[in-house]
Amino acid sequence: MIRTHKTRFGLMEIDDSKAIHFPSGMIGFPQETLFVLLAGREGRSVAYLQSLRTPALAFPVIDGGTIGDNYPQPSPIELAASVGIDTIEPAVLVVVAAAGSPPTLYANLLAPIIVDAGERRAAQIVLDPARYSASVIVAPAVQTANDTTEAPYFANMDARENSHRPVADTDTA
Amino acid sequence: MLVVRRRVGERIVVGNEIEIVITEIGARSVRIGVAAPRGVQVLRGEVHDAVARANAAAADAFASEPEPSSTRALLKEIR
């Protein structure tokens, strides 16, 4: 069922069947158990995990596959199994944050998000702190002048198929 | 907060499914074992807090979203 939700990016039409359930919430946000993955404009690396409970809350994420072939260790399948998510093809998302001046992009490699796209279940799982950091520089960021005011074009993104299906025409460009 | 005195080998049970066992007591630290069901992550407090801070910072900071092209270029470099 497609319904209108308040989001960090304004009102958006979101297909409830695309919601992803985090039974334990995000770490530090235990009450946040329902998200939807929103992709930015075509070609953008950063997507957003938008809370369906708290409109102002969205976590920027990148595809964990872009970090490298050996990330994460243990394997996503093993990680998923460790938290009771049984899937043969989990997706991996990594939370990123832009900070500093000029802005730099930091990735939280310590705690990736493992997603079972089929069952729409996910968990943020903490890896070995001796091997991974919660704040790893992955790119110097270039702040765009209108990022905070522009109403971006978003689409529900299926974590499994990585498809871009427009659901709301909020593009003002 | 419940504060109890325990000896080595004694347990604390949280709910029906989580057990905490004192395995060793040293001069400045204790070693404990935690048994929890699958799906319940057991984390050191400081690690939990570091991830929680990183999550909060990420949610607060993305107004300065990076230029995607530079992101992709650097992601390639760290592969």
Side-chain angles (χ1 to χ4, degrees):
Chain A
M1 181 178 174
I2 296 176
R3 289 192 295 184
T4 301
H5 290 262
K6 287 182 182 175
T7 76
R8 171 68 177 74
F9 312 98
L11 289 175
M12 292 184 63
E13 290 183 346
I14 291 171
D15 185 346
D16 286 343
S17 70
K18 295 296 182 187
I20 301 171
H21 185 218
F22 286 63
S24 300
M26 288 283 285
I27 293 172
F29 298 80
Q31 73 282 14
E32 299 292 346
T33 58
L34 207 56
F35 288 85
V36 66
L37 190 60
L38 305 174
R41 291 174 184 280
E42 190 73 28
R44 289 206 171 189
S45 304
V46 178
Y48 298 92
L49 263 182
Q50 169 68 53
S51 166
L52 293 181
R53 181 180 185 274
T54 306
L57 182 66
F59 297 102
V61 295
I62 59 174
D63 179 357
T66 61
I67 300 299
D69 292 339
N70 293 324
Y71 180 82
Q73 293 292 332
S75 74
I77 291 176
E78 291 174 279
L79 290 174
S82 73
V83 292
I85 297 176
D86 293 316
T87 174
I88 58 170
E89 199 174 359
V92 179
L93 301 174
V94 172
V95 178
V96 292
S101 181
T104 300
L105 189 68
Y106 295 86
N108 181 354
L109 300 187
L110 177 60
I113 297 164
I114 306 297
V115 183
D116 176 357
E119 295 295 323
R120 316 299 302 177
R121 294 183 70 219
Q124 188 174 29
I125 301 175
V126 177
L127 307 179
D128 181 0
R131 180 165 187 168
Y132 296 107
S133 165
S135 185
V136 177
I137 295 175
V138 291
V142 178
Q143 186 166 14
T144 54
N146 59 357
D147 268 344
T148 56
T149 55
E150 176 188 23
Y153 176 85
F154 281 99
N156 273 359
M157 189 166 86
D158 187 302
R160 177 179 46 187
E161 298 169 358
N162 199 28
S163 62
H164 294 71
R165 301 197 296 126
V167 295
D169 187 9
T170 56
D171 195 348
T172 58
Chain B
M1 177 186 289
L2 173 69
V3 179
V4 292
R5 190 179 300 276
R6 299 276 72 192
R7 294 185 173 86
V8 171
E10 293 183 333
R11 302 175 299 144
I12 294 170
V13 180
V14 181
N16 281 325
E17 297 181 304
I18 298 174
E19 282 195 7
I20 301 169
V21 186
I22 310 302
T23 62
E24 185 181 319
I25 299 175
R28 299 185 60 182
S29 65
V30 295
R31 183 180 292 267
I32 62 173
V34 181
R38 226 167 61 125
V40 175
Q41 290 193 79
V42 179
L43 303 173
R44 289 175 171 85
E46 64 273 22
V47 174
H48 172 277
D49 293 349
V51 174
R53 277 196 304 272
N55 280 343
D60 288 342
F62 70 76
S64 52
E65 182 191 343
E67 173 63 36
S69 58
S70 65
T71 306
R72 279 196 298 275
L74 271 107
L75 286 174
K76 280 181 183 173
E77 286 182 16
I78 64 170
R79 274 191 170 193

